[in-house]
């Protein structure tokens, strides 16, 4: 699979809630980071860590919102392993039907058909707003007393 193929399987797999298959898109040893996460960038360095991530975070997100990737633009680089993908997760809040858009940029390194490195830049504020979790986000950002 090309880096583009892997990326498309990843974002459609997230949207389709195929959380059991997603870890198989990654190498056993990988390096996935979310540098803009307000909760802190906690690297996911193995397929097992990704299995735990998708199994925990995925269902919590998809129980309150549904979405699909939209406006996908994939940029190839001079390095054949690396792509930069710009896209949105566009969807609706299940309880209210309110639409939302979450802009994203992923930088992926794919080797032998598996993701070995990823930097996922997601508008976490937009996702927290869509999920009705702004208060939780603000509380997480406040200094411990």
């Amino acid at each position: 699979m090309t880096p583009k193929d892997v990326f498309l399987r990843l974002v459609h797999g997230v949207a389709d809630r195929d959380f059991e298959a997603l870890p198989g898109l990654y190498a056993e040893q990988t390096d996935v980071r979310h540098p803009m996460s307000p909760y802190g960038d906690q690297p996911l360095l193995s397929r097992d860590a990704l299995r735990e991530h998708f199994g925990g975070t995925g269902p919590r997100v998809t129980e309150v919102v549904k979405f699909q990737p939209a406006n996908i633009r994939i940029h190839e680089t001079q390095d054949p392993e690396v792509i930069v993908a710009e896209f949105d997760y566009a969807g609706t809040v299940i309880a209210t039907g309110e639409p939302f858009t979450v802009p994203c940029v992923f930088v992926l390194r794919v080797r032998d058909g598996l993701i070995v490195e990823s930097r996922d830049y997601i508008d976490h504020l937009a996702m927290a707003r869509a999920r009705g979790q702004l208060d939780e986000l603000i509380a997480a950002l406040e200094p411990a007393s």
Side-chain angles (χ1 to χ4, degrees), residues 27-48:
E28 283 292 337
Q29 300 302 310
T30 190
D31 187 347
V32 178
R33 296 174 190 257
H34 299 89
M36 303 303 290
S37 174
Y39 300 103
D41 181 20
Q42 300 168 355
L44 302 165
L45 302 176
S46 68
R47 189 178 289 159
D48 287 340

Side-chain angles (χ1 to χ4, degrees), residues 5-139:
D5 296 334
V6 173
F7 165 77
L8 291 172
R9 282 194 180 184
L10 174 64
V11 295
H12 285 284
V14 169
D16 294 340
R17 306 169 181 193
D18 194 1
F19 302 120
E20 289 185 26
L22 292 172
L25 297 173
Y26 294 83
E28 283 292 337
Q29 300 302 310
T30 190
D31 187 347
V32 178
R33 296 174 190 257
H34 299 89
M36 303 303 290
S37 174
Y39 300 103
D41 181 20
Q42 300 168 355
L44 302 165
L45 302 176
S46 68
R47 189 178 289 159
D48 287 340
L50 284 153
R51 188 172 289 110
E52 185 176 320
H53 170 75
F54 286 123
T57 301
R60 285 195 316 267
V61 171
T62 59
E63 66 190 19
V64 293
V65 295
K66 58 181 178 179
F67 54 85
Q68 288 293 319
N71 305 315
I72 297 172
R73 295 164 309 283
I74 298 174
H75 308 280
E76 295 183 356
T77 69
Q78 291 185 354
D79 184 334
E81 293 185 339
V82 177
I83 62 166
V84 177
E86 301 175 79
F87 67 102
D88 299 318
Y89 279 129
T92 57
V93 177
I94 293 170
T96 65
E98 182 180 342
F100 68 90
T101 302
V102 176
C104 306
V105 175
F106 286 9
V107 181
L108 294 180
R109 178 177 298 277
V110 176
R111 186 174 298 137
D112 299 324
L114 297 171
I115 301 167
V116 295
E117 187 175 18
S118 183
R119 298 297 176 265
D120 303 352
Y121 299 90
I122 300 169
D123 184 342
H124 292 276
L125 183 58
M127 186 60 83
R129 184 179 298 116
R131 293 171 59 195
Q133 296 178 331
L134 284 177
D135 289 341
E136 178 184 312
L137 174 61
I138 292 167

